């Protein structure tokens, strides 16, 4: 299935090991704004276009989400995420791929 992503992704991204979203589901993302803005859904690459990321371009262009509210709440304890808000994101079938 062809999915159009917000950013141009490198070859092989997402990797074959990433699972296709085949049914509606909720994931959770930490955001700075209520309600969330487009800025809350920018990749590290979009925010820092000249930065070198040791984890690789595929991860730099992805978005982190959590599978549960409790996982997202735990991440809020990290110093750089204090003050963030947990946002539920509803994904529909065909929304893309997820990699744990």
């Amino acid at each position: 299935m062809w999915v159009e992503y917000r950013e141009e992704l490198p070859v092989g991204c997402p990797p074959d090991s990433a699972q296709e979203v085949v049914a509606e589901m909720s994931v959770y993302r930490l955001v700075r704004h209520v309600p969330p803005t487009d800025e809350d859904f920018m990749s590290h690459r979009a925010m820092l276009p000249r930065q070198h990321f040791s984890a690789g371009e595929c991860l730099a262009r992805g978005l982190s989400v959590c599978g549960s509210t409790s996982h997202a709440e735990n991440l809020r304890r990290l110093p750089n995420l204090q003050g963030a808000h947990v946002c539920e994101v509803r994904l529909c079938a065909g929304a893309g791929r997820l990699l744990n």
Side-chain angles (χ1 to χ4, degrees):
M1 169 182 270
W2 168 255
V3 175
E4 185 176 338
Y5 292 96
R6 181 180 255 190
E7 296 182 38
E8 186 174 326
L9 300 177
V11 174
C13 185
D16 291 338
S17 56
Q19 299 295 309
E20 185 76 31
V21 177
V22 295
E24 188 174 304
M25 64 185 297
S26 288
V27 293
Y28 304 90
R29 180 161 172 81
L30 294 177
V31 297
R32 296 282 178 202
H33 306 95
V34 176
T37 66
D38 282 346
E39 184 181 316
D40 289 306
F41 295 92
M42 291 175 66
S43 72
H44 282 98
R45 172 55 62 221
M47 291 186 294
L48 302 164
R50 290 173 176 58
Q51 179 77 31
H52 170 75
F53 295 100
S54 60
E57 240 354 82
C58 192
L59 289 179
R61 292 176 185 266
L63 292 180
S64 297
V65 295
C66 300
S68 69
T69 55
S70 60
H71 182 208
E73 289 291 344
N74 284 339
L75 288 177
R76 289 179 59 195
R77 296 181 182 151
L78 295 172
N80 62 328
L81 296 174
Q82 290 179 357
H85 307 276
V86 177
C87 171
E88 179 181 15
V89 179
R90 300 286 296 164
L91 300 177
C92 59
R97 295 165 114 16
L98 298 173
L99 182 64
N100 194 3

